[in-house]
Amino acid sequence: MLRRESISACVNWTTHAELRAQVQKLWDKGELLAGLIEGNAGFPKRLALKGPSSGEIADHFEAVHHWIADLSALPHGRIEMREFHHRLFGKNTLPVAVWLDTADAALAWLGKRRDAARFATLLAQTRAQQPQLLAWIAKRPLRALELDAAWQRLLHIVAWLQDHPRPGVYLRQVDIPGVDSKFIETHRGVLAEWLDLSLPVSAIDASASGVGQFAARYGFRDKPLRVRFRLLDPQASILPGGGLQDIGIDADSFARLDLKLARVIVVENEINYLSLPQLTNSMAIFGAGYGFDMLAPAAWLARCTIDYWGDIDTHGFAILDQLRSRYAQVQSFLMDRATLMQFAAHWSVEERPSLRDLPRLTPEESALYDDLRDNRLGNRVRLEQERIGYPWLLSALAQR
């Protein structure tokens, strides 16, 4: 008498659920949608199927019948059967493969026909309006489907820039129905990929890269870089009323000031920037981390003594190194070993230390930087500049 047993007793045989998971993987990799671009490309497609061995047929004959019945109930797909002769059971047929003959069969199995129809619509729009983007769709079909609601507007933006290369206007001034500057800013990443494929080389500034430089790359006007500075010498005031004036202006206007100052102190911390005392013939600039593009137009800075005051940690020295790449005369200020050890009680932990070599540091700075990045003084030691005592600051300024 045959034993009654379920397919689950034979865990090595491919189940209905496992076959569907294979189809789902084709969707997740974008293969099903990509295949629609060239019309059923990649089909028929064979799914992996593991069935019972000859010994398992003898030991689990009833379970084999259940397994075959389960596969026969597949809603989609074609089962390839093969005849075999068993020494106990004679001639029988056994599934050896499951085939998906068309992409539509796979889509139906997953319930994705509606998604595929949306994809077909955006595909047709692209083929008619911007066929050069079909290669992008083939590589990123699922991303294309995510952009379905915005697709036609994105195509309009590409067309507008083809008609207005390097337009020299702000994004706010782009006149396309249904498109505003917020929409363009939200989709800068995908637009950059499309525009690189759609615009002539002459319309693209290859030196500008990344989402943050979208405007510069494609010839839009961008927010002007700004410089915030304090004139520490009351005699150098440029606004009525005198005093230690805190001023913010665009970079080009800053470049035209040419105040004949002797000393500039670049300070990363705002409170330290605001609390610097009066200094003859001096200016303080509120720093911007790793960004110093706003200082580039100011050629007159090249003749000034420039001090950089940042945190005593690996990134503070990395920023110092970067600033020196633009102004070789930059000196570090309160970023020395004596200051670090004086305020050891105020050390904190640097979150993500920099480990790269910094070729523009002085020997003393390099030694301290190496001690910090190699944790010779403690675990990721950091001294934030605002934790340095004010009398220590005044003493250091008096010695410069």
Side-chain angles (χ1 to χ4, degrees), residues 22-51:
Q22 292 182 48
V23 184
Q24 182 66 48
K25 188 175 181 179
L26 295 175
W27 172 269
D28 295 340
K29 292 169 61 178
E31 292 185 22
L32 295 184
L33 290 178
L36 298 178
I37 297 175
E38 298 181 8
N40 212 43
F43 288 85
K45 189 176 293 290
R46 179 172 178 161
L47 302 180
L49 181 71
K50 181 176 182 180

Side-chain angles (χ1 to χ4, degrees), residues 9-167:
C10 309
V11 294
N12 290 328
W13 305 348
T14 303
T15 65
H16 184 174
E18 290 168 340
L19 289 169
R20 191 185 188 283
Q22 292 182 48
V23 184
Q24 182 66 48
K25 188 175 181 179
L26 295 175
W27 172 269
D28 295 340
K29 292 169 61 178
E31 292 185 22
L32 295 184
L33 290 178
L36 298 178
I37 297 175
E38 298 181 8
N40 212 43
F43 288 85
K45 189 176 293 290
R46 179 172 178 161
L47 302 180
L49 181 71
K50 181 176 182 180
S53 65
S54 179
E56 288 173 330
I57 293 173
D59 293 339
H60 306 286
F61 188 70
E62 183 177 3
V64 171
H65 277 278
H66 284 306
W67 178 71
I68 295 173
D70 185 64
L71 292 185
S72 299
L74 291 176
H76 304 280
R78 171 173 54 87
I79 301 175
E80 179 183 343
M81 306 291 289
R82 182 174 301 168
E83 186 177 274
F84 73 98
H85 292 271
H86 194 276
R87 59 185 178 83
L88 296 179
F89 305 110
K91 184 186 296 185
N92 284 274
T93 57
L94 197 68
V96 293
V98 173
W99 290 87
L100 293 171
D101 290 325
T102 64
D104 183 68
L107 294 166
W109 196 343
L110 299 176
K112 298 291 188 180
R113 276 177 167 164
R114 183 172 297 178
D115 289 333
R118 291 192 293 121
F119 182 79
T121 298
L122 63 86
L123 193 61
Q125 292 171 340
T126 308
R127 185 173 280 118
Q129 300 173 45
Q130 300 291 342
Q132 67 275 19
L133 297 180
L134 292 176
W136 184 93
I137 299 176
K139 290 181 180 179
R140 307 189 64 186
L142 292 177
R143 177 61 176 144
L145 194 60
E146 291 174 359
L147 293 167
D148 176 36
W151 196 264
Q152 190 59 65
R153 285 176 289 170
L154 293 171
L155 291 177
H156 286 330
I157 295 170
V158 173
W160 189 89
L161 271 165
Q162 289 171 334
D163 293 337
H164 305 83
R166 304 202 67 76

